[in-house]
Amino acid sequence: MRSLCAPITVCCLALTLLVVGCGQEAGDVAPSAEAPASGAANDEFATPEGLAESEESGLELRYAAPAVEMDESVIDGQPGNAVTLQQHAPAASRSVPAGERVERSMEEADSFSMETYDRIVENAFRTVMDHPLSTFSIDVDTASYSNVRRYLNNGQLPPPGAVRIEELVNYFPYDYPAPNGDVPFAVNAEIAGCPWEPRHRLVRFGLKGKVIEADQRPPSNLVFLLDVSGSMQNTNKLPLVKQAMQLLVERLDENDTVAIAVYAGSSGLVLPPTPASRKHVILSAMERLRAGGSTNGGQGIELAYSTAMSDFIEGGTNRVILCTDGDFNIGVTDQSQLVRMIEEKAKSGVFLSVLGFGMGNYKDSTMEKLADHGNGNYAYIDTFAEARKVLVEQLTGTLVTIAKDVKIQVEFNPAQVAAYRLVGYENRMLAKEDFNDDTKDAGEIGAGHTVTALYEIVPRGVESPALANVDPLKYQQPTGLSTEAMSTEVLTLKLRYKEPDGQTSRKLEFPIRESDATFATASREFQFASAVAAFGMLLRQSEHKGVATYAAVEEWATPAIEADAEGYREEFLRLVRIAAGLAGSS
């Protein structure tokens, strides 16, 4: 860690290097407001063709109740691109042998005292009479799951702030139906018993993005923005970054281009936009990178986006891929300033992927915000296998955005539901007015991605601890109970999304009816997603975990293991057993 390095004084020597060579040759119910409700426990929706843009502007309740510089240390003396490098030797930085750096990181990993995570205030139950609408942005990030795995594999329970339940649930692919027509995703809904609170019901929404085959992927303009500061020396940082990016480069073709920008004390363009068919040139440029110096991430971000814009592909994929431990310590270091910078850059049409690496000084809080505000996705790469999952197995989902600013709004029927709680998504909550406001940013869905959200609901008339501190309302009883909608519909699910290059949203709407399904008779995908959510609540020591235990989570998840070609679910069971041992429980 830089904080462990002894301060030394070094006079800055201006040095201009001309590096020449590699890169000069540069490569099924139709959703609508009038759609009839389905009585099935597992409602699947195929989106209609020719869906018109919605002109809705207000809220209507369905269930009414009354100059480029770079630190010389980042690249060795071998020939490279024509780029001017300015040498800077920060006073508080020095080179540390790789072995020493790894040893120190392992000592720091024992406490993780320098890692930063945002405090998560868990969603509470809300009464339907007071809050009939629940609104949030979708999230396809998976960083929390692989980060939790890293903690458990290192023999530690993760801090509560590292556990984002929606990212645990969405780490896994689910067998949801694919979309039909001209819309980018299909919606699947299911209601069954809640395993951790038998008096409650659980609602699961599943979105499935359209699948794009590798040979149908649009051309990509990619800029790798690589952190080569001193903190990236460890084998699980820059060396793993190189291995991960090599996996990605090997999957690209002649329709794609790659540029490489790096930052340490300052930033530089190591490789201008180069056809991906010249893989040896790209890989050679990455292999020569060395870690050293402090971290001016803001300057690197500026350079990466300007490079992406200079080679912008209309109708293609334009994306910056940031690989870092998130430890920005010179230049723009304030988190709010970095977020504002990314928000401004996102207006360019260039999307962002944030890949986190390393431990000890890991800055999860910063990287999650950059991805959220940069029209991006966020993954944590703890192993070579995880790099393969994100950059090979899920390549099109990582690179190709099929819908942006995807928002969900649920209206609960007070005749059927007394209270509800969204499980996870705490930092994705939106005001009810934001749903119809196209200027409000929301999450993106990549090709083939699945997105899952869970609501725990208290049926009307059920005594529950969730309502223990709420007096019955005298003047807000629901009316019109004779209508079919009030007597049979549990909720209406509404979604808004924009095309990747669009500015106006489209709206989908699905009424959902109750079923008599128990948890035991629910689908395997419902059972597994519920088990993963319960695991997250146990790790967070949630007050809402009910009767959940690690042994129960393993029992709930086990039936779904049979549909586990990749082995992800089997690994989940192993992590559950590790967590049980660390927690001293079964």
Side-chain angles (χ1 to χ4, degrees), residues 248-254 274-285:
L248 175 56
V249 171
E250 295 292 352
R251 300 284 290 187
L252 301 178
D253 58 34
E254 66 276 3
T274 301
S277 58
R278 306 191 69 231
K279 290 179 171 50
H280 66 287
V281 175
I282 301 169
L283 297 177
S284 177

Side-chain angles (χ1 to χ4, degrees), residues 226-537:
L226 310 182
D227 181 351
V228 293
S229 62
S231 69
M232 294 291 290
Q233 289 188 32
N234 300 349
T235 55
N236 61 359
K237 293 190 179 181
L238 186 57
L240 184 55
V241 169
K242 293 179 182 180
Q243 293 176 358
M245 293 297 99
Q246 180 178 349
L247 286 174
L248 175 56
V249 171
E250 295 292 352
R251 300 284 290 187
L252 301 178
D253 58 34
E254 66 276 3
N255 296 317
D256 306 315
T257 62
V258 172
I260 301 176
V262 299
Y263 64 91
S266 51
S267 63
L269 189 63
V270 172
L271 185 75
T274 301
S277 58
R278 306 191 69 231
K279 290 179 171 50
H280 66 287
V281 175
I282 301 169
L283 297 177
S284 177
M286 283 195 299
E287 183 55 36
R288 292 195 307 276
L289 297 178
R290 301 291 181 266
S294 48
T295 315
N296 193 335
Q299 192 176 73
I301 290 169
E302 292 279 2
L303 174 61
Y305 274 90
S306 65
T307 303
M309 286 302 299
S310 71
D311 207 45
F312 193 89
I313 301 175
E314 292 291 343
T317 295
N318 300 278
R319 185 173 293 271
V320 170
I321 302 178
L322 170 61
C323 300
T324 180
D325 60 10
D327 189 10
F328 303 153
N329 55 27
I330 67 171
V332 179
T333 60
D334 179 73
Q335 191 178 91
S336 61
Q337 288 181 289
L338 286 167
V339 167
R340 284 196 294 272
M341 177 189 297
I342 286 292
E343 285 179 333
E344 189 62 31
K345 299 300 181 185
K347 298 176 183 177
S348 67
V350 176
F351 290 78
L352 176 68
S353 289
V354 178
L355 304 182
F357 292 81
M359 61 185 182
N361 67 327
Y362 189 65
K363 309 303 181 187
D364 172 84
S365 173
T366 298
M367 289 187 286
E368 187 206 8
K369 288 182 175 64
L370 294 183
D372 287 352
H373 292 269
N375 284 343
N377 44 57
Y378 171 34
Y380 175 73
I381 309 297
D382 58 333
T383 63
F384 183 78
E386 185 66 18
R388 178 175 293 279
K389 175 180 183 288
V390 173
L391 298 173
V392 176
E393 296 172 13
Q394 300 176 350
L395 174 66
T396 55
T398 298
L399 295 185
V400 182
T401 299
I402 58 172
K404 69 177 182 180
D405 292 336
V406 183
K407 307 171 189 174
I408 292 179
Q409 186 169 79
V410 179
E411 182 189 349
F412 291 92
N413 181 355
Q416 300 293 323
V417 182
Y420 62 88
R421 187 178 79 87
L422 177 60
V423 182
Y425 291 92
E426 283 85 1
N427 60 357
R428 293 286 192 159
M429 302 302 293
L430 298 172
K432 59 181 181 294
E433 295 83 4
D434 293 342
F435 182 72
N436 294 325
D437 186 348
D438 281 352
T439 67
K440 295 296 183 180
D441 181 64
E444 284 66 47
I445 295 182
H449 270 159
T450 57
V451 183
T452 301
L454 297 168
Y455 276 95
E456 181 179 353
I457 63 174
V458 182
R460 183 171 177 82
V462 170
E463 293 185 6
S464 169
L467 302 172
N469 295 322
V470 180
D471 288 336
L473 298 179
K474 180 178 180 180
Y475 301 110
Q476 301 298 322
Q477 298 304 312
T479 59
L481 294 182
S482 59
T483 66
E484 181 182 0
M486 291 295 286
S487 61
T488 61
E489 292 179 10
V490 175
L491 56 89
T492 290
L493 169 65
K494 296 181 287 185
L495 297 100
R496 281 194 178 276
Y497 73 94
K498 299 174 187 171
E499 299 293 339
D501 57 354
Q503 299 302 317
T504 304
S505 68
R506 293 181 174 185
K507 177 183 172 184
L508 308 175
E509 190 166 322
F510 311 94
I512 310 297
R513 289 182 175 179
E514 178 59 286
S515 75
D516 58 359
T518 65
F519 182 75
T521 62
S523 72
R524 293 289 186 257
E525 303 298 74
F526 183 101
Q527 292 174 345
F528 186 78
S530 303
V532 177
F535 179 61
M537 288 192 286

Side-chain angles (χ1 to χ4, degrees), residues 166-208:
E166 70 279 7
E167 293 185 25
L168 270 59
V169 172
N170 286 322
Y171 180 84
F172 302 92
Y174 294 90
D175 185 19
Y176 298 150
N180 296 317
D182 67 341
V183 292
F185 53 85
V187 180
N188 175 273
E190 187 173 2
I191 303 178
C194 178
W196 57 81
E197 176 47 79
R199 290 169 293 186
H200 296 172
R201 304 288 284 168
L202 201 60
V203 183
R204 187 221 63 197
F205 300 130
L207 277 61
K208 172 69 174 182

